[in-house]
Amino acid sequence: KTHTAFGYATQVCILDEKGRVERVVAAHDVGRVVNPTLCEGQIEGSVHMGLGYALTEEFPTDPETGFPTNTTLRSLGILRAKDVPEIEVQLVEVPQPRSPYGIKGVGEIGLVPTAGAVAGALYAHDGIRRTRLPMTDAPAATASVPKSRR
């Protein structure tokens, strides 16, 4: 065995009538919740990061030098806190019997379902299958993409 505990996560992205992200519901199996505030914060941060990954973040480089062409967080499409929609976290407790206090990992798994949830919601909204990230052509991205990159 390479790991002693596995968690599960699912997310649902809810769009408004214009196709922008209104809310994300994130349900995560975290084993036993030891610190609810910290656990919810970890998942909220993961969703924030996942939304940027799905919709706005790019790291372009100069093909000749390999150096980044954008060097500010804003020009890279990093979402500002004010651009992040409501995130509803649902902590699911299924304690792991062979781990300390029944805990499971909650770090990286928080990021995994976000892009898929966004892509699925966008497909349901406009019927377009987006197969590349970031999905900057989506209405959900335009609220957060710097004008210079639209």
Side-chain angles (χ1 to χ4, degrees):
K1 290 185 180 181
T2 59
H3 294 79
T4 59
F6 291 90
Y8 297 90
T10 190
Q11 295 176 7
V12 176
C13 178
I14 300 162
L15 305 178
D16 66 14
E17 64 282 343
K18 293 180 181 178
R20 295 188 176 171
V21 180
E22 184 174 281
R23 184 166 63 116
V24 176
V25 179
H28 289 248
D29 168 18
V30 298
R32 176 161 289 128
V33 179
V34 177
N35 184 330
T37 302
L38 186 64
C39 193
E40 287 178 12
Q42 176 69 35
I43 294 168
E44 288 169 350
S46 296
V47 172
H48 181 167
M49 186 173 157
L51 288 171
Y53 173 65
L55 295 169
T56 60
E57 293 179 20
E58 291 184 281
F59 192 71
T61 57
D62 183 305
E64 292 181 23
T65 65
F67 284 100
T69 56
N70 294 340
T71 56
T72 65
L73 295 178
R74 189 70 183 136
S75 67
L76 293 171
I78 306 295
L79 288 178
R80 298 174 293 182
K82 71 178 195 143
D83 296 325
V84 178
E86 176 190 350
I87 301 168
E88 178 187 330
V89 176
Q90 297 179 3
L91 301 177
V92 178
E93 288 191 272
V94 180
Q96 171 55 262
R98 292 184 303 265
S99 71
Y101 306 103
I103 62 172
K104 295 180 184 176
V106 71
E108 296 299 321
I109 195 170
L111 178 63
V112 174
T114 311
V118 172
L122 289 169
Y123 177 72
H125 176 75
D126 61 17
I128 299 171
R129 284 226 186 265
R130 292 167 176 90
T131 58
R132 299 177 70 89
L133 297 176
M135 298 175 276
T136 55
D137 66 322
T142 58
S144 304
V145 176
K147 289 180 183 164
S148 62
R149 291 190 31 227
R150 286 188 197 165

